[in-house]
Amino acid sequence: MREVEERLAARLAELRMERGWSLDDLARRADISRSTLSRLERAEISPTAALLGRLCAVYERTMSRLLAEVESEPPQVVRAAAQPVWRDEASGFERRSVSPPHAGLRGELVEARLRPGADIAYDTPPVPGLEQHIWVLEGAVEITANGHAHEVTAGDCLRFRLWGPSRFRCPGPDPVRYALLIVLP
């Protein structure tokens, strides 16, 4: 896991350098302190889901695509043991990249889990117009997308194109597990 975090830190630094931005430039664009960004790029800290969400928005990438950039090229069959899992212990979010992004493909499949009480908000979509299909497998989740709140329970599917802020909240008492299909515009 440490190796993935180090590659992620290096990739984030590369993305900033590719754009010719200083840490101060990125700090203003992402509304993240310069010191946090510096520590993140040196792999001294691990990003939270919210922090990574802000950086993905600035770099116009989905979280899965960014994480896939630090993984090796995925095979056509992605075995369960090879599916990258990322956890944000602070927010209670776990994300398994079931079908990671792949060159030439616009869609990806993610399995996500939120513990009861978890509440994650994203200020902006990583890519405007991103298509999402969220199928709840167990539990319930409250999802706010484009200013509309939805309670989605086991068996339900919510689908939309994301243009604005979003929020995922697990009201409990049980955790929620859902499949998320992401399609680039």
Side-chain angles (χ1 to χ4, degrees), residues 77-123:
V77 175
V78 184
R79 304 286 179 207
Q83 296 168 1
V85 176
W86 182 76
R87 291 177 182 86
D88 177 5
E89 298 297 334
S91 69
F93 177 57
E94 178 180 296
R95 156 186 235 290
R96 173 182 298 277
S97 192
V98 177
S99 178
H102 188 282
L105 299 177
R106 293 183 8 197
E108 59 189 271
L109 182 61
V110 171
E111 176 189 20
R113 296 172 189 265
L114 291 173
R115 70 176 175 232
D119 192 343
I120 301 172
Y122 300 98
D123 296 332

Short mmCIF file of all heavy atoms in Angstrom, two decimals, residues 77-123:
data_model
loop_
_atom_site.label_atom_id
_atom_site.label_comp_id
_atom_site.label_asym_id
_atom_site.label_seq_id
_atom_site.Cartn_x
_atom_site.Cartn_y
_atom_site.Cartn_z
N VAL A 77 -9.30 -9.13 -17.81
CA VAL A 77 -9.97 -9.72 -16.65
C VAL A 77 -9.27 -9.17 -15.41
O VAL A 77 -8.07 -9.34 -15.25
CB VAL A 77 -9.90 -11.26 -16.66
CG1 VAL A 77 -10.51 -11.83 -15.39
CG2 VAL A 77 -10.60 -11.81 -17.89
N VAL A 78 -10.03 -8.53 -14.57
CA VAL A 78 -9.46 -7.96 -13.35
C VAL A 78 -9.90 -8.85 -12.19
O VAL A 78 -11.05 -8.81 -11.76
CB VAL A 78 -9.93 -6.50 -13.14
CG1 VAL A 78 -9.25 -5.90 -11.91
CG2 VAL A 78 -9.65 -5.66 -14.37
N ARG A 79 -8.99 -9.67 -11.74
CA ARG A 79 -9.28 -10.59 -10.64
C ARG A 79 -9.52 -9.82 -9.35
O ARG A 79 -8.91 -8.76 -9.12
CB ARG A 79 -8.11 -11.57 -10.45
CG ARG A 79 -7.76 -12.35 -11.70
CD ARG A 79 -8.78 -13.41 -12.00
NE ARG A 79 -8.41 -14.11 -13.24
CZ ARG A 79 -9.27 -14.68 -14.03
NH1 ARG A 79 -10.55 -14.68 -13.76
NH2 ARG A 79 -8.85 -15.29 -15.13
N ALA A 80 -10.38 -10.35 -8.51
CA ALA A 80 -10.73 -9.68 -7.26
C ALA A 80 -9.49 -9.30 -6.46
O ALA A 80 -9.41 -8.20 -5.91
CB ALA A 80 -11.66 -10.57 -6.43
N ALA A 81 -8.52 -10.18 -6.40
CA ALA A 81 -7.31 -9.91 -5.62
C ALA A 81 -6.47 -8.79 -6.22
O ALA A 81 -5.64 -8.20 -5.52
CB ALA A 81 -6.47 -11.18 -5.52
N ALA A 82 -6.68 -8.47 -7.49
CA ALA A 82 -5.89 -7.43 -8.16
C ALA A 82 -6.62 -6.08 -8.22
O ALA A 82 -6.08 -5.12 -8.74
CB ALA A 82 -5.54 -7.88 -9.57
N GLN A 83 -7.83 -6.01 -7.71
CA GLN A 83 -8.60 -4.78 -7.77
C GLN A 83 -8.10 -3.82 -6.68
O GLN A 83 -8.18 -4.13 -5.50
CB GLN A 83 -10.09 -5.07 -7.59
CG GLN A 83 -10.66 -5.91 -8.71
CD GLN A 83 -12.04 -6.45 -8.42
OE1 GLN A 83 -12.64 -6.19 -7.38
NE2 GLN A 83 -12.56 -7.22 -9.36
N PRO A 84 -7.60 -2.66 -7.09
CA PRO A 84 -7.05 -1.72 -6.11
C PRO A 84 -8.14 -1.24 -5.15
O PRO A 84 -9.26 -0.91 -5.56
CB PRO A 84 -6.53 -0.57 -6.95
CG PRO A 84 -6.51 -1.05 -8.35
CD PRO A 84 -7.46 -2.18 -8.45
N VAL A 85 -7.81 -1.21 -3.87
CA VAL A 85 -8.71 -0.71 -2.84
C VAL A 85 -8.06 0.50 -2.20
O VAL A 85 -6.88 0.48 -1.86
CB VAL A 85 -9.00 -1.79 -1.76
CG1 VAL A 85 -9.86 -1.22 -0.65
CG2 VAL A 85 -9.65 -3.01 -2.39
N TRP A 86 -8.85 1.57 -2.06
CA TRP A 86 -8.36 2.78 -1.42
C TRP A 86 -9.29 3.10 -0.27
O TRP A 86 -10.51 3.04 -0.41
CB TRP A 86 -8.32 3.92 -2.44
CG TRP A 86 -7.78 5.19 -1.88
CD1 TRP A 86 -6.47 5.50 -1.62
CD2 TRP A 86 -8.54 6.34 -1.51
NE1 TRP A 86 -6.37 6.76 -1.11
CE2 TRP A 86 -7.62 7.30 -1.03
CE3 TRP A 86 -9.89 6.65 -1.52
CZ2 TRP A 86 -8.03 8.55 -0.58
CZ3 TRP A 86 -10.29 7.89 -1.07
CH2 TRP A 86 -9.36 8.83 -0.61
N ARG A 87 -8.72 3.44 0.88
CA ARG A 87 -9.52 3.73 2.06
C ARG A 87 -9.19 5.11 2.60
O ARG A 87 -8.03 5.50 2.65
CB ARG A 87 -9.23 2.71 3.16
CG ARG A 87 -9.73 1.33 2.85
CD ARG A 87 -9.33 0.34 3.96
NE ARG A 87 -9.77 -1.00 3.62
CZ ARG A 87 -9.09 -1.85 2.87
NH1 ARG A 87 -7.92 -1.51 2.38
NH2 ARG A 87 -9.57 -3.05 2.61
N ASP A 88 -10.24 5.79 3.01
CA ASP A 88 -10.08 7.05 3.74
C ASP A 88 -10.67 6.78 5.12
O ASP A 88 -11.89 6.85 5.31
CB ASP A 88 -10.82 8.17 3.02
CG ASP A 88 -10.76 9.49 3.78
OD1 ASP A 88 -10.07 9.57 4.82
OD2 ASP A 88 -11.41 10.46 3.33
N GLU A 89 -9.82 6.40 6.05
CA GLU A 89 -10.28 6.02 7.40
C GLU A 89 -10.99 7.19 8.08
O GLU A 89 -11.95 6.98 8.82
CB GLU A 89 -9.10 5.54 8.25
CG GLU A 89 -8.41 4.29 7.71
CD GLU A 89 -9.31 3.06 7.66
OE1 GLU A 89 -10.28 2.96 8.45
OE2 GLU A 89 -9.04 2.18 6.82
N ALA A 90 -10.52 8.41 7.85
CA ALA A 90 -11.10 9.58 8.52
C ALA A 90 -12.57 9.76 8.17
O ALA A 90 -13.39 10.09 9.03
CB ALA A 90 -10.30 10.83 8.17
N SER A 91 -12.93 9.55 6.90
CA SER A 91 -14.32 9.77 6.49
C SER A 91 -15.16 8.50 6.49
O SER A 91 -16.37 8.56 6.33
CB SER A 91 -14.37 10.40 5.10
OG SER A 91 -13.93 9.48 4.12
N GLY A 92 -14.52 7.33 6.61
CA GLY A 92 -15.27 6.09 6.59
C GLY A 92 -15.63 5.63 5.19
O GLY A 92 -16.66 4.99 4.98
N PHE A 93 -14.79 5.95 4.22
CA PHE A 93 -15.04 5.64 2.81
C PHE A 93 -14.03 4.60 2.34
O PHE A 93 -12.84 4.71 2.60
CB PHE A 93 -14.89 6.93 1.99
CG PHE A 93 -15.05 6.77 0.51
CD1 PHE A 93 -16.20 6.23 -0.03
CD2 PHE A 93 -14.06 7.19 -0.36
CE1 PHE A 93 -16.37 6.11 -1.41
CE2 PHE A 93 -14.20 7.08 -1.73
CZ PHE A 93 -15.36 6.54 -2.25
N GLU A 94 -14.55 3.57 1.65
CA GLU A 94 -13.69 2.57 1.03
C GLU A 94 -14.12 2.42 -0.42
O GLU A 94 -15.31 2.35 -0.71
CB GLU A 94 -13.82 1.22 1.75
CG GLU A 94 -12.98 0.13 1.11
CD GLU A 94 -13.11 -1.21 1.81
OE1 GLU A 94 -12.73 -1.31 2.98
OE2 GLU A 94 -13.64 -2.14 1.16
N ARG A 95 -13.16 2.36 -1.32
CA ARG A 95 -13.44 2.31 -2.75
C ARG A 95 -12.60 1.23 -3.41
O ARG A 95 -11.39 1.24 -3.30
CB ARG A 95 -13.10 3.70 -3.27
CG ARG A 95 -12.78 3.88 -4.64
CD ARG A 95 -12.35 5.35 -4.84
NE ARG A 95 -13.12 5.98 -5.85
CZ ARG A 95 -13.02 5.69 -7.13
NH1 ARG A 95 -12.16 4.82 -7.54
NH2 ARG A 95 -13.78 6.29 -8.00
N ARG A 96 -13.27 0.27 -4.04
CA ARG A 96 -12.60 -0.81 -4.78
C ARG A 96 -12.81 -0.54 -6.26
O ARG A 96 -13.93 -0.42 -6.73
CB ARG A 96 -13.19 -2.16 -4.41
CG ARG A 96 -12.65 -3.31 -5.27
CD ARG A 96 -13.29 -4.64 -4.91
NE ARG A 96 -13.03 -5.02 -3.55
CZ ARG A 96 -11.91 -5.63 -3.12
NH1 ARG A 96 -10.95 -5.91 -3.97
NH2 ARG A 96 -11.77 -5.93 -1.86
N SER A 97 -11.72 -0.47 -6.99
CA SER A 97 -11.79 -0.24 -8.44
C SER A 97 -11.98 -1.60 -9.11
O SER A 97 -11.02 -2.28 -9.44
CB SER A 97 -10.52 0.46 -8.92
OG SER A 97 -10.71 0.92 -10.23
N VAL A 98 -13.24 -1.99 -9.30
CA VAL A 98 -13.59 -3.31 -9.85
C VAL A 98 -13.16 -3.40 -11.31
O VAL A 98 -12.57 -4.39 -11.73
CB VAL A 98 -15.11 -3.55 -9.71
CG1 VAL A 98 -15.51 -4.87 -10.35
CG2 VAL A 98 -15.52 -3.52 -8.23
N SER A 99 -13.47 -2.37 -12.08
CA SER A 99 -13.06 -2.29 -13.48
C SER A 99 -12.37 -0.94 -13.65
O SER A 99 -13.01 0.06 -13.94
CB SER A 99 -14.26 -2.40 -14.40
OG SER A 99 -13.86 -2.28 -15.75
N PRO A 100 -11.05 -0.90 -13.43
CA PRO A 100 -10.33 0.37 -13.46
C PRO A 100 -10.38 1.04 -14.82
O PRO A 100 -10.61 0.38 -15.83
CB PRO A 100 -8.89 -0.04 -13.12
CG PRO A 100 -8.96 -1.41 -12.58
CD PRO A 100 -10.18 -2.04 -13.17
N PRO A 101 -10.15 2.35 -14.85
CA PRO A 101 -10.08 3.04 -16.14
C PRO A 101 -9.04 2.38 -17.03
O PRO A 101 -8.05 1.84 -16.55
CB PRO A 101 -9.65 4.46 -15.76
CG PRO A 101 -9.94 4.59 -14.32
CD PRO A 101 -9.85 3.23 -13.73
N HIS A 102 -9.28 2.43 -18.31
CA HIS A 102 -8.38 1.80 -19.26
C HIS A 102 -8.33 2.68 -20.50
O HIS A 102 -9.34 3.25 -20.91
CB HIS A 102 -8.91 0.41 -19.61
CG HIS A 102 -7.98 -0.40 -20.45
ND1 HIS A 102 -7.83 -0.22 -21.79
CD2 HIS A 102 -7.14 -1.41 -20.11
CE1 HIS A 102 -6.95 -1.07 -22.26
NE2 HIS A 102 -6.51 -1.80 -21.25
N ALA A 103 -7.16 2.80 -21.08
CA ALA A 103 -7.01 3.62 -22.30
C ALA A 103 -8.01 3.16 -23.35
O ALA A 103 -8.16 1.98 -23.61
CB ALA A 103 -5.59 3.50 -22.83
N GLY A 104 -8.71 4.09 -23.93
CA GLY A 104 -9.67 3.77 -24.99
C GLY A 104 -11.06 3.47 -24.48
O GLY A 104 -11.98 3.35 -25.28
N LEU A 105 -11.24 3.33 -23.17
CA LEU A 105 -12.57 3.07 -22.59
C LEU A 105 -13.01 4.30 -21.82
O LEU A 105 -12.21 4.96 -21.18
CB LEU A 105 -12.53 1.86 -21.66
CG LEU A 105 -12.13 0.53 -22.31
CD1 LEU A 105 -12.08 -0.56 -21.24
CD2 LEU A 105 -13.10 0.15 -23.40
N ARG A 106 -14.30 4.59 -21.87
CA ARG A 106 -14.82 5.77 -21.17
C ARG A 106 -15.46 5.42 -19.83
O ARG A 106 -15.74 6.30 -19.04
CB ARG A 106 -15.83 6.48 -22.05
CG ARG A 106 -15.18 7.10 -23.27
CD ARG A 106 -16.13 7.87 -24.13
NE ARG A 106 -17.43 8.03 -23.52
CZ ARG A 106 -18.51 8.37 -24.17
NH1 ARG A 106 -18.47 8.60 -25.44
NH2 ARG A 106 -19.66 8.49 -23.56
N GLY A 107 -15.72 4.13 -19.58
CA GLY A 107 -16.41 3.76 -18.35
C GLY A 107 -15.51 3.03 -17.38
O GLY A 107 -14.48 2.47 -17.74
N GLU A 108 -15.92 3.05 -16.14
CA GLU A 108 -15.25 2.31 -15.08
C GLU A 108 -16.29 1.90 -14.04
O GLU A 108 -17.35 2.51 -13.94
CB GLU A 108 -14.14 3.14 -14.44
CG GLU A 108 -14.63 4.43 -13.83
CD GLU A 108 -13.49 5.34 -13.40
OE1 GLU A 108 -13.05 5.21 -12.25
OE2 GLU A 108 -13.07 6.16 -14.22
N LEU A 109 -15.98 0.85 -13.30
CA LEU A 109 -16.90 0.34 -12.29
C LEU A 109 -16.20 0.32 -10.94
O LEU A 109 -15.08 -0.18 -10.83
CB LEU A 109 -17.36 -1.07 -12.66
CG LEU A 109 -18.36 -1.74 -11.74
CD1 LEU A 109 -19.66 -0.95 -11.66
CD2 LEU A 109 -18.63 -3.16 -12.21
N VAL A 110 -16.89 0.87 -9.93
CA VAL A 110 -16.33 0.98 -8.59
C VAL A 110 -17.32 0.37 -7.60
O VAL A 110 -18.53 0.53 -7.75
CB VAL A 110 -16.11 2.48 -8.24
CG1 VAL A 110 -15.75 2.67 -6.79
CG2 VAL A 110 -15.09 3.10 -9.16
N GLU A 111 -16.79 -0.33 -6.61
CA GLU A 111 -17.60 -0.75 -5.47
C GLU A 111 -17.22 0.17 -4.32
O GLU A 111 -16.03 0.34 -4.02
CB GLU A 111 -17.31 -2.19 -5.08
CG GLU A 111 -18.07 -2.62 -3.83
CD GLU A 111 -17.65 -3.97 -3.29
OE1 GLU A 111 -16.53 -4.43 -3.60
OE2 GLU A 111 -18.42 -4.56 -2.52
N ALA A 112 -18.21 0.79 -3.70
CA ALA A 112 -17.94 1.73 -2.62
C ALA A 112 -18.67 1.31 -1.36
O ALA A 112 -19.75 0.70 -1.42
CB ALA A 112 -18.36 3.13 -3.03
N ARG A 113 -18.08 1.66 -0.24
CA ARG A 113 -18.68 1.41 1.08
C ARG A 113 -18.53 2.66 1.93
O ARG A 113 -17.48 3.29 1.91
CB ARG A 113 -17.98 0.25 1.79
CG ARG A 113 -18.12 -1.08 1.11
CD ARG A 113 -17.22 -2.12 1.81
NE ARG A 113 -17.17 -3.35 1.06
CZ ARG A 113 -17.95 -4.41 1.29
NH1 ARG A 113 -18.83 -4.37 2.26
NH2 ARG A 113 -17.85 -5.49 0.56
N LEU A 114 -19.59 2.97 2.65
CA LEU A 114 -19.56 4.05 3.62
C LEU A 114 -20.05 3.51 4.95
O LEU A 114 -21.06 2.80 4.99
CB LEU A 114 -20.48 5.20 3.21
CG LEU A 114 -20.09 6.03 1.99
CD1 LEU A 114 -21.21 7.00 1.64
CD2 LEU A 114 -18.80 6.79 2.27
N ARG A 115 -19.35 3.84 6.02
CA ARG A 115 -19.81 3.41 7.34
C ARG A 115 -20.94 4.34 7.79
O ARG A 115 -21.08 5.46 7.29
CB ARG A 115 -18.64 3.38 8.32
CG ARG A 115 -18.12 4.73 8.70
CD ARG A 115 -17.02 4.61 9.76
NE ARG A 115 -16.45 5.91 10.02
CZ ARG A 115 -15.17 6.19 9.98
NH1 ARG A 115 -14.29 5.24 9.72
NH2 ARG A 115 -14.74 7.41 10.22
N PRO A 116 -21.76 3.88 8.75
CA PRO A 116 -22.86 4.72 9.24
C PRO A 116 -22.32 6.07 9.73
O PRO A 116 -21.30 6.13 10.43
CB PRO A 116 -23.44 3.91 10.39
CG PRO A 116 -23.09 2.50 10.07
CD PRO A 116 -21.74 2.57 9.40
N GLY A 117 -22.98 7.12 9.33
CA GLY A 117 -22.58 8.47 9.72
C GLY A 117 -21.58 9.11 8.78
O GLY A 117 -21.33 10.31 8.87
N ALA A 118 -21.01 8.34 7.86
CA ALA A 118 -20.05 8.92 6.90
C ALA A 118 -20.76 9.97 6.05
O ALA A 118 -21.90 9.78 5.64
CB ALA A 118 -19.45 7.82 6.02
N ASP A 119 -20.07 11.06 5.80
CA ASP A 119 -20.64 12.17 5.04
C ASP A 119 -19.51 12.79 4.24
O ASP A 119 -18.61 13.41 4.80
CB ASP A 119 -21.23 13.18 6.02
CG ASP A 119 -22.09 14.23 5.34
OD1 ASP A 119 -21.99 14.40 4.11
OD2 ASP A 119 -22.87 14.89 6.06
N ILE A 120 -19.55 12.63 2.92
CA ILE A 120 -18.49 13.13 2.05
C ILE A 120 -19.09 14.09 1.04
O ILE A 120 -20.04 13.74 0.34
CB ILE A 120 -17.77 11.98 1.31
CG1 ILE A 120 -17.18 11.01 2.32
CG2 ILE A 120 -16.69 12.53 0.39
CD1 ILE A 120 -16.64 9.75 1.69
N ALA A 121 -18.52 15.28 0.96
CA ALA A 121 -19.00 16.29 0.01
C ALA A 121 -17.88 16.66 -0.95
O ALA A 121 -16.73 16.77 -0.55
CB ALA A 121 -19.48 17.53 0.76
N TYR A 122 -18.25 16.81 -2.21
CA TYR A 122 -17.31 17.23 -3.25
C TYR A 122 -17.81 18.57 -3.79
O TYR A 122 -18.97 18.70 -4.17
CB TYR A 122 -17.24 16.20 -4.38
CG TYR A 122 -16.78 14.84 -3.91
CD1 TYR A 122 -17.70 13.83 -3.64
CD2 TYR A 122 -15.42 14.56 -3.74
CE1 TYR A 122 -17.28 12.57 -3.21
CE2 TYR A 122 -14.99 13.31 -3.31
CZ TYR A 122 -15.92 12.32 -3.05
OH TYR A 122 -15.50 11.09 -2.62
N ASP A 123 -16.93 19.56 -3.83
CA ASP A 123 -17.31 20.90 -4.27
C ASP A 123 -17.67 20.98 -5.74
O ASP A 123 -18.51 21.77 -6.14
CB ASP A 123 -16.17 21.89 -4.00
CG ASP A 123 -15.89 22.05 -2.52
OD1 ASP A 123 -16.80 21.85 -1.71
OD2 ASP A 123 -14.72 22.35 -2.18
#
